[in-house]
Amino acid sequence: MAQVRQNYLYRKNSGKEMNQQEYFLLTRILLQFEQRTQDIVSDISAAAFSDDGSLWIGSDEMVGVERLSPIGCSRYGKHQRFLLKDYIELFDDDEIDIEGMDFANGYLWLTGSHSMKRKKPKGKNLETDLKRLATISTDLNRFILARIPVVNGELIKEGMTGKGEQLVADSLQKVNQRDLLFEILKEDAHLQPFINGKIPSKDNGLDIEGLAVASNNRLFIGLRGPVLRGWAIIIEIQVTQSQPGVLVLQPIRDDGVKYKKHFLDLNGLGIRELCLRGKDLIILAGPTMGLEARMQVFCWKNAVDSVGDNIYQQDQDSLFPLFDLPFTAGCDYAEGLALYSCWGDKDGLMVFYDLPSEQRLRRDKQILVDVFQIPIQL
């Protein structure tokens, strides 16, 4: 068995006494869409900015991504849709359930949830609803992890950068109607019971909802579930291209293991999104399953320097809460994160919401998202 490096960082203080601040809302940004607007504004699940300033939006019920461009003060528009089947090979025509997104090294990266689902009762017929609650299924396109080149604000299948570097759209190698990531996780000692037991995402089963890309194609993948006795999980992998269009996993540890696991004390919450800020990882944490609770933003200091498998308790020098997000029951579920420069200040964090409140909606094609201040001690 591979040696596990346990990095226990004991809590010195509790709750808000440990660096936590109240949130400070810097501003709100208006996003203006054009096509199938209702399907987008009510289901934003991931977002990222590319180097050209474009804002890319992912939804958990679509088969494409949306691009918005800055069109003035605190506004993004000029909406354009890109269908992912034009760039990468999908399993079928079903939704992809995009839950994590990032931009790095000329590529837009995205991941599906890799999850199973339990059908919801509809309230029309008791016998039918009982059968629905016993039915577990999945959409094959949920098992997608891919990167697509962005050149001049456009997704391309392949092409050259201005520096002469070749870029090609790739996805993680497919195996048995799944991908390599799922194949290794289903054998993992901590995750195997949830995967082989076919536990749906909303029942604390496997559910990817966060993605951050570091240098050398190192990926941090956040799990909304399972949460193990209150510990959230981040999977770290490194990928490389085996042939045009296909990514494979590289050994990421000296013992040849192709993934690392990081267990984090996020006050019992799961991970809803990730984004890198230098060497630090900003973590959006929220309840797993179908629970409603206040969501929190954490900082994992020097995450990119992590070695081996780790267990992190909260500590003012390593893992600590930054602030709580405002809570409204039944709406405004934060699901996307992106760093955002506000008024020349780089300490802004843009937050995107699923099931937005009516107060966020403007007409039938516009939605307001929030920009919060990142505490300046970071």
Side-chain angles (χ1 to χ4, degrees):
M1 179 180 295
Q3 182 179 3
V4 176
R5 174 177 177 265
Q6 294 181 332
N7 191 2
Y8 288 98
L9 302 174
Y10 288 98
R11 186 193 306 259
K12 297 179 181 177
N13 297 290
S14 61
K16 294 184 178 179
E17 295 178 346
M18 194 170 59
N19 285 349
Q20 186 174 8
Q21 302 182 9
E22 297 297 328
Y23 70 86
F24 185 81
L25 181 66
L26 290 174
T27 189
R28 285 188 165 136
I29 305 297
L30 185 68
L31 309 183
Q32 181 171 318
F33 297 91
E34 299 297 337
Q35 308 166 29
R36 294 185 63 182
T37 303
Q38 187 58 39
D39 292 339
I40 302 169
V41 297
S42 62
D43 286 300
I44 294 177
S45 57
F49 286 98
S50 52
D51 286 344
D52 64 293
S54 297
L55 173 60
W56 300 88
I57 300 289
S59 169
D60 54 12
E61 294 190 8
M62 306 293 271
V63 292
V65 294
E66 322 298 323
R67 187 200 67 193
L68 298 176
S69 302
I71 57 174
C73 181
S74 301
R75 295 180 62 190
Y76 284 80
K78 299 180 181 179
H79 176 207
Q80 184 174 352
R81 168 164 296 168
F82 296 83
L83 298 178
L84 294 182
K85 67 179 182 180
D86 294 335
Y87 310 96
I88 58 174
E89 180 183 356
L90 303 179
F91 288 104
D92 52 35
D93 294 327
D94 288 336
E95 67 181 46
I96 298 175
D97 195 23
I98 298 172
E99 292 289 357
M101 186 180 288
D102 198 4
F103 177 84
N105 307 317
Y107 287 94
L108 182 68
W109 296 75
L110 58 93
T111 182
S113 64
H114 290 64
S115 67
M116 301 177 192
K117 59 182 180 180
R118 186 184 300 278
K119 288 192 173 182
K120 298 179 182 179
K122 294 185 175 181
K124 296 180 180 180
N125 179 280
L126 177 59
E127 184 177 355
T128 300
D129 280 347
L130 290 174
K131 290 181 179 179
R132 290 181 64 85
L133 277 175
T135 302
I136 297 172
S137 62
T138 191
D139 300 316
L140 295 182
N141 284 338
R142 292 180 174 217
F143 300 92
I144 292 286
L145 192 158
R147 64 178 188 178
I148 304 174
V150 179
V151 176
N152 297 324
E154 300 279 338
L155 293 187
I156 62 171
K157 190 167 185 177
E158 58 181 310
M160 303 290 289
T161 67
K163 298 180 180 180
E165 179 185 1
Q166 184 177 17
L167 301 177
V168 178
D170 305 290
S171 58
L172 198 59
Q173 184 178 349
K174 298 174 177 60
V175 180
N176 299 324
Q177 296 294 290
R178 301 293 188 267
D179 67 9
L180 279 179
L181 177 60
F182 186 82
E183 285 296 303
I184 64 168
L185 295 185
K186 75 178 186 181
E187 303 298 330
D188 179 77
H190 295 97
L191 300 176
Q192 183 184 54
F194 297 88
I195 295 175
N196 292 349
K198 298 183 178 180
I199 299 177
S201 58
K202 298 302 185 289
D203 296 348
N204 199 35
L206 178 69
D207 190 8
I208 292 174
E209 287 209 6
L211 178 66
V213 182
S215 60
N216 299 322
N217 295 332
R218 286 174 59 205
L219 278 61
F220 292 88
I221 297 170
L223 304 187
R224 176 176 179 176
V227 171
L228 304 184
R229 200 176 175 89
W231 295 90
I233 304 172
I234 291 178
I235 304 295
E236 184 182 351
I237 61 175
Q238 189 166 12
V239 300
T240 188
Q241 186 188 72
S242 64
Q243 63 186 61
V246 179
L247 297 174
V248 294
L249 300 176
Q250 289 184 293
I252 197 170
R253 297 193 333 204
D254 293 340
D255 54 14
V257 174
K258 294 183 177 180
Y259 67 104
K260 295 189 286 188
K261 288 179 295 185
H262 308 289
F263 296 87
L264 295 90
D265 172 15
L266 305 180
N267 297 331
L269 301 174
I271 294 167
R272 307 300 284 270
E273 187 56 289
L274 305 170
C275 73
L276 278 169
R277 185 174 184 267
K279 291 187 175 184
D280 302 339
L281 196 61
I282 305 298
I283 302 170
L284 174 63
T288 188
M289 302 191 290
L291 300 173
E292 291 202 7
R294 186 176 298 277
M295 304 183 73
Q296 293 184 282
V297 179
F298 289 81
C299 176
W300 175 14
K301 292 287 288 184
N302 298 313
V304 297
D305 293 333
S306 62
V307 178
D309 294 344
N310 294 285
I311 298 177
Y312 287 94
Q313 290 193 346
Q314 290 183 35
D315 180 272
Q316 61 185 358
D317 298 319
S318 182
L319 175 68
F320 49 86
L322 295 177
F323 55 87
D324 292 356
L325 290 174
F327 173 68
T328 304
C331 62
D332 282 352
Y333 302 129
E335 292 214 5
L337 286 184
L339 298 180
Y340 182 76
S341 296
C342 185
W343 308 318
D345 188 346
K346 296 182 180 180
D347 292 319
L349 186 67
M350 189 176 290
V351 179
F352 304 80
Y353 300 89
D354 187 14
L355 291 177
S357 62
E358 289 295 324
Q359 290 79 4
R360 293 193 178 278
L361 303 178
R362 294 291 182 271
R363 304 185 182 92
D364 62 344
K365 297 181 179 180
Q366 300 175 345
I367 182 173
L368 290 166
V369 298
D370 294 336
V371 179
F372 295 98
Q373 183 180 30
I374 299 175
I376 57 176
Q377 72 264 25
L378 294 185

